[in-house]
Amino acid sequence: MPRPPRRTQAERSDATTSMLVTAARELFGRDGYAATSIEAVAAAAGVTKGAAYHHFRNKAALFRSVFVEEQRRIADALREAAAREPDSWSALLRGCRTFLEHCLNPVFRRIVLLDGPAVLGWEQVREIEYAHTLRVLTEGMSAAAADGVMADGDLPARCQLIFGALCEAGMLLARSDEPAKALPVVAAEAERLLGALAR
């Protein structure tokens, strides 16, 4: 029986990076950034501390990779939710609601909403969000504008303003003592904001 082909160095490196990011997501999401050491992440990933530092120069760099991966996850979830709707306006509303629902997820809440700004700074957080979640929102609002269901206006500015409002709504939920109870109220207000843009 022939042996399976040996993995290349690049494939082994990618596999180690993936294991570290997966382990770090679980620990950062559960315990928070401050309480998680890179040594603990390495142990959870089944690699040496030296291997972890070979792939990530420090804990902040590892956290950044986790944050980016979390943004990719939410962007995919938003696109999937929107794709199930019958029209562009319903898709836009569903995407916004899905984002707020995602803010109830403890891992997302801890990594993206609570620790992200403190660890990475607002400028870096926004840069990453603009490449993922803001891009999805822009796609949705562009589709609604193209379908003529949104009032005329400056689309880039409008997307930035709505995105800022949704991020603040997410922070409201993240800091709430009862986020699930607060969700309907926050989501209704977000929908009213969007409704003001309807033609």
Side-chain angles (χ1 to χ4, degrees):
M1 186 173 179
R3 291 181 180 178
R6 294 184 66 183
R7 291 191 299 178
T8 65
Q9 178 61 37
E11 288 171 335
R12 289 194 298 273
S13 178
D14 288 346
T16 301
T17 299
S18 178
M19 288 189 297
L20 285 164
V21 170
T22 298
R25 178 180 184 266
E26 181 178 344
L27 294 178
F28 286 143
R30 186 188 69 200
D31 303 328
Y33 179 81
T36 300
S37 67
I38 202 162
E39 291 83 358
V41 173
V47 304
T48 65
K49 183 174 72 171
Y53 278 110
H54 175 74
H55 289 82
F56 298 98
R57 68 182 181 277
N58 54 33
K59 187 169 73 165
L62 176 56
F63 181 86
R64 187 185 190 281
S65 290
V66 172
F67 187 92
V68 170
E69 179 59 28
E70 208 61 23
Q71 286 291 313
R72 288 196 188 108
R73 285 170 179 260
I74 183 63
D76 289 345
L78 296 178
R79 286 192 176 98
E80 288 171 11
R84 293 193 291 268
E85 294 298 320
D87 57 72
S88 59
W89 185 253
S90 298
L92 179 60
L93 293 178
R94 172 51 57 193
C96 292
R97 174 72 184 223
T98 299
F99 174 80
L100 294 176
E101 289 170 351
H102 221 71
C103 294
L104 302 187
N105 180 297
V107 173
F108 181 84
R109 188 164 69 240
R110 169 58 65 184
I111 292 170
V112 174
L113 300 174
L114 300 177
D115 283 348
V119 177
L120 302 175
W122 278 110
E123 188 173 338
Q124 195 171 171
V125 163
R126 284 293 188 251
E127 178 186 335
I128 297 167
E129 288 175 335
Y130 289 172
H132 296 91
T133 41
L134 177 60
R135 177 176 291 180
V136 176
L137 176 63
T138 300
E139 290 167 359
M141 292 184 71
S142 297
D147 288 345
V149 294
M150 187 180 291
D152 294 335
D154 187 290
L155 189 61
R158 185 172 283 174
C159 290
Q160 294 265 4
L161 289 168
I162 293 298
F163 183 70
L166 288 171
C167 288
E168 284 301 311
M171 291 301 294
L172 276 176
L173 293 172
R175 292 181 175 136
S176 172
D177 292 333
E178 297 181 283
K181 192 173 180 179
L183 175 63
V185 175
V186 173
E189 292 304 321
E191 192 166 320
R192 286 190 185 95
L193 280 177
L194 283 169
L197 300 177
R199 186 181 292 279

